Amino acid sequence: MVQSLIEMAFIGHEVKLQFASNGEEGLNMARTLNPDLILLDLKMPIMDGVEFLEKFRAERQFQTTPVLIVSAQNIADFVIKLARLRINGFILKPFEDADLVARVGKVVKLWPRSGRIAPSNPTPTKVSRFPSYSETQSFSPQA
């Protein structure tokens, strides 16, 4: 469900969304895809969001990759740890499409699909989304 909401939110932008079904799969995908941004839920199977972020940030190539937490989970218990792991923001679920797009747009450049404002061949922004436990879809690349 959250996956389809995210896909709908970015339908008017040149983005390539990638989805993982758990934290371990997400970390492996990040190593392969080198995303421009991670939308990360804290509650995931196999490897939760905090553990994912610790391992992600420990890898040199991801030390500056922006990460936005998208979660219904209260982060009060994690504030200090998440700050130390350099998150770029928090989006509370449920969210409005416009809020999600605006928050992402503050972190990475978003090009409109129409191409009227963007250069003739912009490189689509790659956004990786690691879903919550309730989402059981397997990896499905989206153009």
Side-chain angles (χ1 to χ4, degrees), residues 86-143:
R86 298 176 313 279
I87 66 165
N88 297 82
F90 185 85
I91 302 165
L92 188 62
K93 290 193 284 186
F95 53 81
E96 296 292 326
D97 290 359
D99 294 336
L100 178 63
V101 171
R103 187 66 63 95
V104 168
K106 288 181 181 180
V107 180
V108 295
K109 179 67 177 166
L110 291 175
W111 299 106
R113 265 200 208 278
S114 67
R116 282 180 255 147
I117 299 171
S120 59
N121 291 316
T123 303
T125 297
K126 296 174 287 184
V127 178
S128 293
R129 164 74 168 101
F130 303 145
S132 65
Y133 182 74
S134 61
E135 295 178 56
T136 56
Q137 301 92 349
S138 58
F139 169 70
S140 60
Q142 302 291 317

Side-chain angles (χ1 to χ4, degrees), residues 32-53:
T32 302
L33 301 172
N34 195 28
D36 297 320
L37 170 73
I38 299 287
L39 299 177
L40 179 68
D41 202 326
L42 296 176
K43 187 176 181 182
M44 297 184 293
I46 303 175
M47 180 189 305
D48 70 19
V50 174
E51 183 182 357
F52 168 88
L53 199 49

Side-chain angles (χ1 to χ4, degrees), residues 42 69 71-79 82 90 92-93:
L42 296 176
I69 302 294
S71 187
Q73 188 171 347
N74 186 334
I75 65 164
D77 299 335
F78 303 103
V79 170
L82 291 173
F90 185 85
L92 188 62
K93 290 193 284 186

